[in-house]
Amino acid sequence: MDSSASHPLVRTRFAPSPTGALHLGNVRVAVFNWLFARSKGGRFILRFEDTDVERNQAGSEEAIMEDLLWLGLEWNEGPDRGGEGAPYRQSEALERYGEAARSLVEAGKAFPCYCTEEELARDRTVESSGAAVHRYSGRCRGLTEVERRRLEAERGVPAIRFQVPDAEVAIDDAVRGEVRFPQEDLSDFVILRPDGRPTYNFAVVVDDVRMAVTHVIRGSGHLSNTPKQLLLFRALSASPPTFAHLPTVLGPEGGRLSKREGSAAVAELRKEGVHPEAVVNYTSLLGWSPPSGEEVLTVEELIRTMDLDRVGASDTMYDPEKLRWMSGQHIARMSLEELVEALRPFVDFGRFTQLGGNLPGAVEAIRTRLRTFAEVNEHLCLLYPESGVELVDARRTVREDDGMRAVVEHVSRRLQEVDPWDAKQLGQALRDAGKEVGAKGPGLFHPLRLALSGERSGPDVSKVLAALGREEALARLQKALEA
Ligand code: GLU
């Protein structure tokens, strides 16, 4: 049976403040929202929470969008493409917050507050859940119209304060189950400042209502905002979304992963050539686990299997090594053509002039060693060594060792006959030559690698030979035999 008719379309949002570039912590939130919307055939919204003008950073919106697109997390609605919930920048929606606040005042659910700084400072501070909580006295709650007019004449435009109903608040979190918030933690809070700017919690709720957001998936740091937001949804007669608070991501050194963690900046990962799909895959595992236990998943597979019911509440830790390993796994799954194209911007062509038109051959030789795209140059060095001294030493070692010398001599001769010069034919010729000269495994490959690149280990020798081409490969072997 098609149940889509009875369920509203899933709408999730990613709502960063444009105060800096993306890091893995907020990418994880974007990934969960994006995957969840995709998996339900829903829509993913990008919204900028930019009302804290002093903290906004020029260029940050563009950087965030660029990073999201690099990761393939395309949004259906957002500041650059509009949509039913426009505007998608809070700074462009100031009128909406004003209207919503006034409607709450008219309904008796909020009130103008004329309290001075000094009066507020005298209000009670109570201890709750180990933290000092400031409680509003309720001074302006019951003002008459006459009193309001008098205070307005004396003190100017008031703030608007939400009148918190007298009851405990509980949410049914999709990750944590029922979470209760004691009443004493809440007292009437400001929703609109005298200058017309909304406070954070109010702006979020007004936006989530007008954008018809059905699921709010975000970091556990926002859990403490949720009771206020839930009360606001109710006061605005809107049905609250499903909340899902993801576990905290700890940095490699312990402690909450922060923007300052350089290794976690998306721009850095991009520069390093970490496979973008691996970033999506890796961050999806920061809190969620796939039912199959198989961790390396394509985005398509993630969309098919991701759901909120397998999200756990316990802290998770960002492990930069595992991310790089996973990137290697995604690179291993690319076709040679895709990989060559992905590597092209990273290859230092100026340094590897011998590369010529043979990038695919060289990539074939080194591809199993790549964890990131940027590592390509360090592996190309194995094919095209530049450090003359080490190579000269390595070749002398071969020349002065009878066994090694015999292997290189024999293989060289055998290779003259290989046609066509490809990895398959070369592999066969190496095996034959090895048998003839009585060498296999390291006994066969060490001398060849030393002669070719000066290193004892490295990519598959037949692939190295193929990548170098007949002339260059034979010339290198020859150099090891002649002083
Ligand atoms: N702007 C908030 C942040 O960057 C997100 C708010 C929310 O998800 O409700 O953390």
Side-chain angles (χ1 to χ4, degrees):
M1 213 179 78
D2 177 20
S3 60
S4 58
S6 55
H7 290 289
L9 185 67
V10 163
R11 293 172 61 84
T12 65
R13 78 321 191 252
F14 178 51
S17 302
T19 54
L22 285 189
H23 66 103
L24 278 192
N26 38 34
V27 164
R28 194 259 318 236
V29 172
V31 162
F32 275 69
N33 279 286
W34 186 86
L35 281 176
F36 185 71
R38 286 286 171 279
S39 72
K40 302 291 177 199
R43 291 173 76 77
F44 174 65
I45 301 165
L46 174 64
R47 164 171 100 215
F48 284 117
E49 306 207 324
D50 61 349
T51 46
D52 194 348
V53 185
E54 282 100 68
R55 293 185 58 226
N56 292 343
Q57 244 181 52
S60 165
E61 286 192 6
E62 291 73 17
I64 289 172
M65 292 199 275
E66 208 182 309
D67 284 343
L68 289 175
L69 293 176
W70 174 67
L71 292 165
L73 306 178
E74 186 122 9
W75 50 97
N76 303 103
E77 300 169 26
D80 59 330
R81 58 194 73 182
E84 301 156 36
Y88 293 93
R89 246 182 228 107
Q90 291 186 331
S91 59
E92 292 165 7
L94 293 179
E95 268 164 51
R96 317 284 178 112
Y97 311 122
E99 277 161 30
R102 278 188 295 279
S103 79
L104 289 179
V105 173
E106 271 154 36
K109 296 173 180 172
F111 55 89
C113 173
Y114 302 90
C115 292
T116 60
E117 293 291 339
E118 296 72 44
E119 282 169 329
L120 292 173
R122 280 197 300 274
D123 282 348
R124 226 153 41 93
T125 297
V126 296
E127 282 291 320
S128 175
S129 332
V133 183
H134 185 82
R135 289 191 61 87
Y136 179 65
S137 66
R139 211 173 292 111
C140 293
R141 251 199 196 199
L143 296 179
T144 62
E145 229 5 83
V146 177
E147 287 169 318
R148 283 184 183 171
R149 268 200 297 272
R150 181 179 57 80
L151 284 165
E152 187 136 348
E154 280 173 19
R155 300 185 181 178
V157 184
I160 306 291
R161 209 175 265 278
F162 180 65
Q163 188 165 319
V164 171
D166 205 7
E168 188 184 63
V169 187
I171 61 158
D172 187 16
D173 190 89
V175 174
R176 283 144 215 271
E178 190 184 62
V179 185
R180 298 181 159 276
F181 301 90
Q183 166 68 24
E184 68 260 27
D185 284 3
L186 290 173
S187 73
D188 300 349
F189 55 90
V190 171
I191 54 176
L192 201 70
R193 300 183 179 94
D195 66 4
R197 279 187 307 135
T199 54
Y200 170 72
N201 284 306
F202 190 55
V204 167
V205 173
V206 172
D207 287 348
D208 285 342
V209 171
R210 63 192 180 84
M211 294 177 191
V213 169
T214 59
H215 293 73
V216 167
I217 306 172
R218 60 188 176 194
S220 58
H222 284 291
L223 197 55
S224 57
N225 291 320
T226 311
K228 287 183 181 173
Q229 295 184 4
L230 187 69
L231 292 173
L232 288 170
F233 276 107
R234 290 190 191 140
L236 291 167
S237 310
S239 55
T242 297
F243 290 99
H245 287 94
L246 305 176
T248 304
V249 184
L250 303 175
E253 316 290 326
R256 186 186 284 272
L257 183 68
S258 78
K259 283 188 192 173
R260 283 171 290 282
E261 216 96 45
S263 66
V266 174
E268 278 307 309
L269 299 176
R270 188 153 117 199
K271 230 193 285 162
E272 257 189 66
V274 172
H275 195 306
E277 194 172 36
V279 178
V280 173
N281 186 179
Y282 180 76
T283 50
S284 78
L285 301 177
L286 293 173
W288 173 75
S289 60
S292 65
E294 169 54 65
E295 290 196 314
V296 183
L297 298 167
T298 62
V299 168
E300 285 310 313
E301 290 165 332
L302 286 170
I303 292 172
R304 245 180 285 128
T305 48
M306 200 270 171
D307 211 340
L308 294 177
D309 56 2
R310 293 186 59 87
V311 177
S314 21
D315 292 355
T316 73
M317 189 183 270
Y318 166 47
D319 175 355
E321 278 308 303
K322 181 158 180 189
L323 171 58
R324 278 156 191 80
W325 169 81
M326 194 163 266
S327 172
Q329 298 293 309
H330 281 269
I331 287 177
R333 292 173 174 207
M334 297 173 88
S335 70
L336 181 62
E337 294 71 46
E338 283 170 340
L339 181 56
V340 168
E341 283 323 301
L343 290 172
R344 227 175 256 288
F346 291 89
V347 172
D348 192 345
F349 286 100
R351 177 169 157 200
F352 300 108
T353 45
Q354 317 95 307
L355 204 48
N358 195 23
L359 187 57
V363 170
E364 186 57 48
I366 60 168
R367 61 172 299 167
T368 57
R369 316 184 140 247
L370 294 175
R371 294 185 319 157
T372 67
F373 299 133
E375 283 174 359
V376 66
N377 295 312
E378 115 199 14
H379 295 299
L380 284 175
C381 281
L382 294 174
L383 295 181
Y384 307 107
E386 319 141 281
S387 135
V389 182
E390 276 163 40
L391 192 54
V392 167
D393 283 351
R395 285 178 175 156
R396 186 177 316 112
T397 309
V398 172
R399 200 156 50 239
E400 292 174 357
D401 179 302
D402 290 344
M404 289 210 233
R405 193 187 160 84
V407 168
V408 174
E409 257 168 5
H410 188 75
V411 168
S412 274
R413 246 195 322 279
R414 199 68 167 69
L415 292 182
Q416 315 276 352
E417 300 151 21
V418 172
D419 192 35
W421 187 268
D422 62 26
K424 192 159 166 258
Q425 299 295 325
L426 289 162
Q428 190 55 50
L430 286 176
R431 278 189 296 279
D432 294 347
K435 268 188 216 136
E436 288 155 15
V437 73
K440 60 179 182 191
L444 175 62
F445 297 119
H446 275 175
L448 293 171
R449 287 205 175 97
L450 284 173
L452 289 166
S453 67
E455 305 274 345
R456 271 179 197 277
S457 60
D460 190 83
V461 174
S462 54
K463 288 183 184 163
V464 173
L465 293 168
L468 292 174
R470 182 191 298 273
E471 212 175 308
E472 174 70 15
L474 292 176
R476 287 190 191 188
L477 294 177
Q478 203 48 42
K479 278 191 190 139
L481 300 173
E482 294 161 5

